[in-house]
Amino acid sequence: MNHLPLIIKREYINKVRNKSFIIMTFLSPLIMVGIFSLVAYLSQLNNDQVRIVSVLDESGLFLKDFENTSTISYNILDKLSLSEAKQISEESENYGLLYIPNSENLETLAEGVTFYSEDSPSLQIMNEVENVVERKVNSLKLKDAGINSEVIRELHIRVNAHQETFKGQETSKMGSYLKLGFGGVAGYLLFMFIIIYGNMIMRSVIEEKTSRIIEVIISSVKPMKLLLGKIIGTSLAGITQFLAWVILLGVFSIVITGIFGIDPSTVQTPQQEVINQAVDGGTQEIARNVIMEINNLPIVNLTIMFLFFFIGGYLLYASLYAAIGAAVDSETDTQQFMLPIIMPLILAIYVGFFTVIDNPHGTVSQVFSYIPFTSPVVMLMRIPFGVPIWQQIISLIILFATFIGTVWFAAKIYRVGILMYGKKPSYRELIKWLKY
Amino acid sequence: MEKLLKATNVSKSFGPYKALNNISIEVPKGSIFGILGPNGAGKTTFLRIINQITMPDSGEVFLDGKPLAPDDIRHIGYLPEERGLYKTMKVGEQVLYLAQLKGLSKQEAKIRLKYWFDRLEIGDWWDKKIQELSKGMAQKIQFVVTVLHQPKLLIFDEPFSGFDPINANLIKDEILNLRDEGATVIFSTHRMESVEEMCDHIALIHKSNKILDGKLIDIKRAYRSNTYEVGLLTENKEAVNSLIRERFDVSPASFKSINDELQYKIKIPEKASPNELVSFLTSKGQLNHFVEVIPSASDIFIETVKNN
């Protein structure tokens, strides 16, 4: 008798029809797009405002150097004492007052520069103002030393090293960021998937225990089949939800952009800024680089390994979640067992985002890409940087061997646990169950 | 008599704890077999072994003469003591799913479901969720799930718990009816009155061991104490009273009567005939009440458990 399709179908339909599942499917992308748009809108609002900064320059050296920018409008004060200038700035509700003292010596002048304001000023404004003063003081000093600042500018040569592997493949900084992006997305996706749907499996096991239907079911079905059906059914529901999220995210972004005229992509994340600075070239060159780098990525390798590591990693953790569900009576009892599951996952993400970025082929990265509980995430992040196939295969073999071990372990716990009611078991008792 | 189920020397331990010790039983075809025992005796473990939920450490179980195989689940209907249904699933879908797990086709299951839902008058529950039903209602559905695939062996673990007396009676009649149609029933219970009413065979399990086994009527014969309950109407109460107490092994009795009479429980020696007692009593007065004290299942249960 083949029960597996029946169980998978029930698990799937039951999950997908669940009200909170449906609500989450539609609400999550809406909330995400909403928050992004809000942030975009707010940062636009924030930057639109032009601040008025008064300047009291007693040295008279800087009069021509303060040019209005998109964020700051300068108001040059003349022939006033410092206290008068302060009073005027405060009364006219200026953002701040920049005071430059008069001094023979440029160093003491620079040290005497003071910015007065209502509260502590924003870093951006301070940077801008300091830059203006600094540039002027520097060029003045150069002049004192008898060097023309034009000469300096001409002497300056930008170096943008071409990167090439020993095998003659062209690479670029852009490429590194792209690789990081691909690996990061893959690793993070797996992490999220495990947490969300592993929990869902656990809850569904607990539900069968608390509703006491479990004994009725396993008088018809082998526990192993029920476990397998549950994991597959829930995973299919998870994939459905993920696909729905991707599609809905696209639709909602288009709709919101259309209605409000806000482009969520204008929100600059710190990483994007870094990329922009690193590339620092014309947009055409960026486009050329991106296409070249995408072509250079080991796409086939990446896709195949993504599937294998994703499935292996997910199943590994899913079976553990199911075992926890079987061991306890209610969700509140799961806490003590969750830690050993969550820890390696978080470790994997940290190793991925710090160590792999730093050195994709360093010892730490390598070791963690072999340990089965972290390898799916870490290896997925390393692969775009080029990992020899044999290493990937060894890591996969370890992963799947461990998976067989955890399924055996989970099935043992599951078989005994689903019939145990009452008190919460300790780790020692769980080990005893393995011998039943 | 042909045996439907045979268990030979079944043992099961959980770590150091021995849950079942060399249990052997034979369940005749078409009988209602009661498995009795105090809490924690190992009844549920034994029923789980028959259902292949738990594997025995040693010993074998035969169904219809053949060793129990995974496919046999379609011939067994099991109502566990810890029972429930998916709370958020609709009644109809749920029962269809469980029936399909037992190997019924969807069409066949629908036809039989209609029969049972009509019979128990629960047809309009089809689209309700279990959480909207009362506990008793859910129990009825659970019963339907157990019997729907027409198993030849029905196993009930405390079938009447959670039912009100009316529904308990209804379920009892359905069980008897299924037996008459050819099914064999094993059930475990604490309710001794339902043992009296329904079982023709019993096995008593105590502290993991089987301590008693056989036809209920044979067991009762074995446990008879040759005691008779007697009601004697006489003019000369005190004289007769002392006379009887001198001659017989007497204990006080009290039963409902409309006469003002002497009431006793009288135990006669094993080989003696009750006729002698009757002729002695009739010579002393008017014998209104004479009945053999038959040990109840409950008495037998308590006595054997105490002695072990």
Side-chain angles (χ1 to χ4, degrees):
Chain A
M1 246 180 297
N2 202 358
H3 295 134
L4 201 55
L6 265 177
I7 300 169
I8 294 173
K9 195 174 138 204
R10 194 206 81 86
E11 290 292 331
Y12 180 80
I13 290 180
N14 206 40
K15 293 276 160 352
V16 172
R17 263 208 228 141
N18 186 293
K19 272 201 198 92
S20 62
F21 184 89
I22 294 172
I23 292 172
M24 281 311 289
T25 306
F26 284 92
L27 217 55
S28 299
L30 200 62
I31 290 173
M32 260 169 81
V33 171
I35 288 176
F36 253 116
S37 312
L38 191 69
V39 170
Y41 177 66
L42 290 180
S43 60
Q44 262 178 14
L45 260 191
N46 212 21
N47 290 339
D48 278 353
Q49 197 187 346
V50 176
R51 267 84 177 238
I52 299 168
V53 173
S54 300
V55 180
L56 180 64
D57 177 14
E58 290 183 345
S59 71
L61 292 170
F62 297 84
L63 291 178
K64 284 179 189 153
D65 292 289
F66 291 103
E67 286 166 2
N68 292 345
T69 66
S70 60
T71 45
I72 306 179
S73 164
Y74 293 104
N75 173 27
I76 311 292
L77 302 175
D78 213 1
K79 290 175 185 129
L80 290 169
S81 72
L82 178 57
S83 53
E84 281 169 332
K86 272 201 224 171
Q87 198 185 346
I88 288 173
S89 318
E90 200 178 349
E91 276 168 9
S92 48
E93 290 184 353
N94 285 351
Y95 186 75
L97 167 69
L98 179 70
Y99 170 69
I100 304 169
N102 193 8
S103 168
E104 287 298 306
N105 190 329
L106 279 174
E107 270 90 16
T108 44
L109 181 142
E111 273 169 30
V113 173
T114 315
F115 191 90
Y116 300 94
S117 62
E118 187 77 38
D119 330 289
S120 30
S122 91
L123 284 176
Q124 201 193 348
I125 300 279
M126 284 309 288
N127 271 336
E128 248 184 83
V129 172
E130 281 170 348
N131 268 337
V132 175
V133 179
E134 207 172 286
R135 236 182 291 137
K136 183 67 179 176
V137 174
N138 279 341
S139 77
L140 285 173
K141 283 223 69 164
L142 285 171
K143 213 185 246 172
D144 282 358
I147 302 166
N148 189 341
S149 56
E150 283 301 309
V151 177
I152 296 283
R153 205 165 297 155
E154 273 166 32
L155 280 176
H156 185 79
I157 293 173
R158 273 190 62 92
V159 175
N160 202 350
H162 284 278
Q163 302 176 349
E164 209 171 285
T165 63
F166 287 123
K167 288 177 189 132
Q169 205 178 44
E170 221 179 307
T171 63
S172 71
K173 284 182 210 138
M174 185 70 194
S176 296
Y177 288 108
L178 258 180
K179 285 170 182 170
L180 217 66
F182 268 87
V185 166
Y188 200 69
L189 213 62
L190 175 59
F191 174 74
M192 290 303 290
F193 203 86
I194 287 175
I195 299 252
I196 297 177
Y197 301 106
N199 254 306
M200 200 179 261
I201 289 173
M202 188 181 77
R203 257 180 279 127
S204 128
V205 173
I206 294 176
E207 186 211 334
E208 274 175 4
K209 262 189 95 174
T210 49
S211 70
R212 298 285 198 264
I213 194 176
I214 188 70
E215 203 168 341
V216 177
I217 300 269
I218 58 167
S219 68
S220 321
V221 182
K222 288 257 157 288
M224 191 70 188
K225 260 191 192 166
L226 184 62
L227 180 66
L228 209 60
K230 222 170 229 328
I231 291 176
I232 297 175
T234 309
S235 312
L236 290 178
I239 291 169
T240 310
Q241 192 171 46
F242 250 64
L243 286 181
W245 277 344
V246 170
I247 293 168
L248 287 176
L249 259 180
V251 172
F252 288 149
S253 328
I254 292 169
V255 168
I256 290 203
T257 317
I259 294 175
F260 300 104
I262 300 164
D263 187 358
S265 64
T266 55
V267 184
Q268 286 217 331
T269 60
Q271 285 98 326
Q272 273 173 324
E273 271 169 43
V274 174
I275 291 174
N276 291 346
Q277 281 169 15
V279 176
D280 202 14
T283 38
Q284 259 187 336
E285 201 191 336
I286 297 178
R288 197 185 66 85
N289 264 340
V290 169
I291 291 165
M292 184 190 79
E293 283 306 331
I294 288 181
N295 283 335
N296 278 352
L297 279 178
I299 294 286
V300 178
N301 180 355
L302 201 62
T303 317
I304 293 173
M305 284 302 158
F306 177 74
L307 282 179
F308 276 116
F309 274 105
F310 199 91
I311 292 170
Y314 173 67
L315 290 182
L316 181 75
Y317 278 101
S319 56
L320 289 179
Y321 270 106
I324 295 178
V328 302
D329 267 357
S330 70
E331 225 177 317
T332 45
D333 289 345
T334 58
Q335 304 297 3
Q336 62 162 330
F337 300 113
M338 293 299 285
L339 199 66
I341 288 199
I342 299 289
M343 284 306 287
L345 268 179
I346 291 180
L347 192 66
I349 285 288
Y350 274 110
V351 167
F353 277 106
F354 292 108
T355 320
V356 174
I357 284 174
D358 208 33
N359 183 1
H361 305 305
T363 317
V364 176
S365 309
Q366 289 215 20
V367 168
F368 277 97
S369 61
Y370 287 119
I371 298 173
F373 292 95
T374 54
S375 69
V377 173
V378 177
M379 193 54 116
L380 278 180
M381 293 177 101
R382 277 186 66 203
I383 289 177
F385 294 98
V387 178
I389 293 287
W390 65 269
Q391 284 192 13
Q392 300 181 21
I393 288 175
I394 288 180
S395 171
L396 263 188
I397 289 172
I398 298 175
L399 177 64
F400 277 89
T402 316
F403 163 63
I404 291 168
T406 52
V407 164
W408 173 85
F409 167 82
K412 280 268 183 184
I413 299 285
Y414 189 77
R415 263 189 40 199
V416 180
I418 45 181
L419 295 175
M420 294 278 178
Y421 298 109
K423 76 182 188 27
K424 186 170 70 169
S426 64
Y427 280 106
R428 191 181 301 170
E429 272 166 277
L430 287 190
I431 290 167
K432 254 198 258 162
W433 289 4
L434 295 179
K435 293 175 201 145
Y436 285 179
Chain B
M1 208 181 200
E2 213 181 330
K3 310 292 183 210
L4 181 72
L5 185 97
K6 226 171 118 175
T8 51
N9 303 318
V10 171
S11 294
K12 177 75 187 174
S13 300
F14 295 110
Y17 173 70
K18 193 135 197 164
L20 289 175
N21 185 18
N22 262 324
I23 303 278
S24 302
I25 59 161
E26 293 185 344
V27 180
K29 211 166 242 178
S31 68
I32 295 185
F33 194 101
I35 293 184
L36 319 178
N39 291 324
K43 292 173 302 209
T44 298
T45 305
F46 186 64
L47 296 185
R48 281 179 182 167
I49 285 173
I50 299 175
N51 279 291
Q52 305 177 72
I53 292 171
T54 312
M55 294 298 133
D57 295 339
S58 62
E60 264 192 292
V61 182
F62 299 90
L63 185 72
D64 254 348
K66 283 173 295 223
L68 213 54
D71 215 27
D72 285 333
I73 52 154
R74 68 164 81 200
H75 302 306
I76 300 178
Y78 177 42
L79 184 69
E81 185 179 7
E82 294 282 4
R83 51 183 169 251
L85 295 159
Y86 288 114
K87 287 199 176 61
T88 54
M89 243 178 134
K90 285 180 181 161
V91 171
E93 281 173 5
Q94 176 148 223
V95 181
L96 279 183
Y97 170 64
L98 294 170
Q100 280 174 284
L101 285 185
K102 282 285 187 189
L104 280 184
S105 75
K106 206 169 177 177
Q107 290 77 19
E108 183 64 31
K110 266 188 187 163
I111 295 166
R112 293 195 199 170
L113 257 182
K114 198 174 160 2
Y115 165 79
W116 275 104
F117 276 27
D118 285 347
R119 196 179 163 97
L120 299 178
E121 296 167 353
I122 54 179
D124 51 338
W125 295 355
W126 187 274
D127 274 328
K128 282 205 173 137
K129 286 184 178 170
I130 295 296
Q131 57 194 6
E132 299 165 27
L133 302 180
S134 73
K135 197 178 171 197
M137 290 158 119
Q139 294 268 34
K140 271 191 185 175
I141 291 170
Q142 198 102 46
F143 180 79
V144 174
V145 169
T146 312
V147 303
L148 194 70
H149 57 292
Q150 297 180 336
K152 45 185 172 186
L153 179 61
L154 282 163
I155 301 173
F156 297 100
D157 201 347
E158 293 292 346
F160 304 113
S161 68
F163 278 115
D164 59 51
I166 296 171
N167 280 325
N169 254 330
L170 187 84
I171 294 303
K172 189 190 87 189
D173 290 344
E174 291 300 339
I175 292 176
L176 291 175
N177 195 26
L178 285 164
R179 194 264 317 263
D180 294 342
E181 285 170 7
T184 306
V185 180
I186 296 179
F187 84 88
S188 115
T189 183
H190 295 124
R191 296 211 337 183
M192 287 304 150
E193 68 272 22
S194 48
V195 173
E196 297 275 3
E197 275 176 87
M198 297 174 68
C199 294
D200 26 51
H201 285 70
I202 61 165
L204 183 59
I205 297 179
H206 179 50
K207 288 187 179 158
S208 319
N209 290 287
K210 185 183 82 178
I211 52 175
L212 190 67
D213 173 23
K215 270 188 156 177
L216 187 58
I217 196 156
D218 292 342
I219 291 173
K220 286 196 169 186
R221 273 188 199 129
Y223 275 77
R224 69 157 27 138
S225 55
N226 297 312
T227 306
Y228 297 84
E229 207 170 52
V230 165
L232 190 65
L233 196 62
T234 172
E235 298 292 307
N236 194 355
K237 269 190 176 181
E238 284 187 15
V240 174
N241 184 21
S242 54
L243 205 60
I244 289 176
R245 283 183 182 278
E246 246 167 57
R247 274 190 72 158
F248 296 102
D249 181 1
V250 168
S251 54
S254 100
F255 47 86
K256 286 213 172 94
S257 172
I258 48 169
N259 303 312
D260 177 24
E261 61 201 352
L262 290 167
Q263 299 188 344
Y264 302 106
K265 270 184 191 161
I266 301 177
K267 187 176 161 68
I268 59 172
E270 210 159 306
K271 291 282 158 55
S273 158
N275 280 351
E276 291 167 25
L277 176 62
V278 171
S279 51
F280 173 80
L281 290 172
T282 43
S283 68
K284 302 291 176 239
Q286 186 184 329
L287 186 60
N288 285 333
H289 181 97
F290 189 86
V291 91
E292 181 174 4
V293 177
I294 300 169
S296 69
S298 176
D299 295 337
I300 296 172
F301 180 96
I302 292 167
E303 197 184 324
T304 20
V305 167
K306 256 192 205 156
N307 293 342
N308 276 272

